[in-house]
Amino acid sequence: DTAVSQTPKYLVTQMGNDKSIKCEQNLGHDTMYWYKQDSKKFLKIMFSYNNKELIINETVPNRFSPKSPDKAHLNLHINSLELGDSAVYFCASSPPGNHYYGYTFGSGTRLTVV
Amino acid sequence: DQQVKQNSPSLSVQEGRISILNCDYTNSMFDYFLWYKKYPAEGPTFLISISSIKDKNEDGRFTVFLNKSAKHLSLHIVPSQPGDSAVYFCAASSYNTNAGKSTFGDGTTLTVKP
């Protein structure tokens, strides 16, 4: 029973297209995140939601729009895809006190823009 | 400005020996430090953490050491096993700021040879 699930696992699309990545967690956590791992393997936070409310919005192009319909779901929509958007996108969730107990990550979505 | 750095991109050790992975940080506001392990095509998995009021935390074969004055932490794995071969990320967060955001290093690939 997957704790944090992301779909799709792989996504290949052309420049200029719009795409969405979905994330769901069944852990009852209040906080969810989107992280981007670029070609240098560096994991960088993009967004964080706490109980459907946006609490972290890093300097991400406004072509990226997160949506949290409820605290178990955090989706990522990307408009007008660019080559530089190619990366692995990880969804994660955490309980209160995540500083000590860490995040639970999904298995990632590998986005390739051609 | 990369606040968490793992200066060794890779490490190779013999099975049964000790693996030592290092991490340096620059932000003195960080007060929780975590290690994650990541296998290919999977998301990072939380391994062990330490708060800044401690200098050592142990969990089975894994021990994390924190040197606050040097802004340095390390993960020791003893004895190393082939199944430990993975990418290891260190991460840091601040309890009072950043809304629970963890800042990650760029990872060290550990290879344990049989």
Side-chain angles (χ1 to χ4, degrees), chain B residues 21-49:
Chain B
L21 297 102
N22 294 303
C23 180
D24 297 297
Y25 63 96
T26 57
N27 189 341
S28 58
M29 296 297 291
F30 289 142
D31 47 18
Y32 285 87
F33 304 90
L34 308 96
W35 285 94
Y36 291 81
K37 180 169 76 171
K38 183 184 180 304
Y39 293 119
E42 294 183 12
T45 303
F46 170 71
L47 200 54
I48 191 170
S49 62

Side-chain angles (χ1 to χ4, degrees), chain A residues 2-45:
Chain A
T2 306
V4 180
S5 59
Q6 294 179 230
T7 54
K9 191 167 179 66
Y10 299 97
L11 185 54
V12 181
T13 187
Q14 290 188 328
M15 283 176 54
N17 282 351
D18 303 337
K19 290 292 178 187
S20 292
I21 306 171
K22 295 186 176 182
C23 179
E24 176 182 3
Q25 55 97 0
N26 62 6
L27 299 166
H29 290 168
D30 285 341
T31 309
M32 297 184 72
Y33 309 83
W34 278 110
Y35 274 80
K36 177 181 178 181
Q37 185 180 36
D38 59 24
S39 58
K40 297 180 180 178
K41 302 191 298 180
F42 188 41
L43 273 164
K44 187 171 172 58
I45 191 166

Side-chain angles (χ1 to χ4, degrees), chain A residues 44-103:
Chain A
K44 187 171 172 58
I45 191 166
M46 301 174 69
F47 302 103
S48 174
Y49 271 73
N50 186 63
N51 205 5
K52 302 192 298 176
E53 181 181 345
L54 180 67
I55 55 172
I56 295 175
N57 183 350
E58 294 290 294
T59 49
V60 177
N62 57 16
R63 300 182 293 105
F64 290 78
S65 53
K67 285 195 170 45
S68 181
D70 55 61
K71 76 173 193 177
H73 296 84
L74 180 60
N75 303 322
L76 183 65
H77 188 76
I78 316 169
N79 289 327
S80 303
L81 278 154
E82 301 176 357
L83 292 176
D85 298 331
S86 295
V88 182
Y89 292 84
F90 287 100
C91 176
S93 71
S94 68
N98 73 290
H99 302 279
Y100 203 70
Y101 300 109
Y103 298 166

Side-chain angles (χ1 to χ4, degrees), chain B residues 11-25:
Chain B
L11 174 68
S12 181
V13 299
Q14 209 66 35
E15 181 179 6
R17 306 295 290 268
I18 184 171
S19 295
I20 300 176
L21 297 102
N22 294 303
C23 180
D24 297 297
Y25 63 96

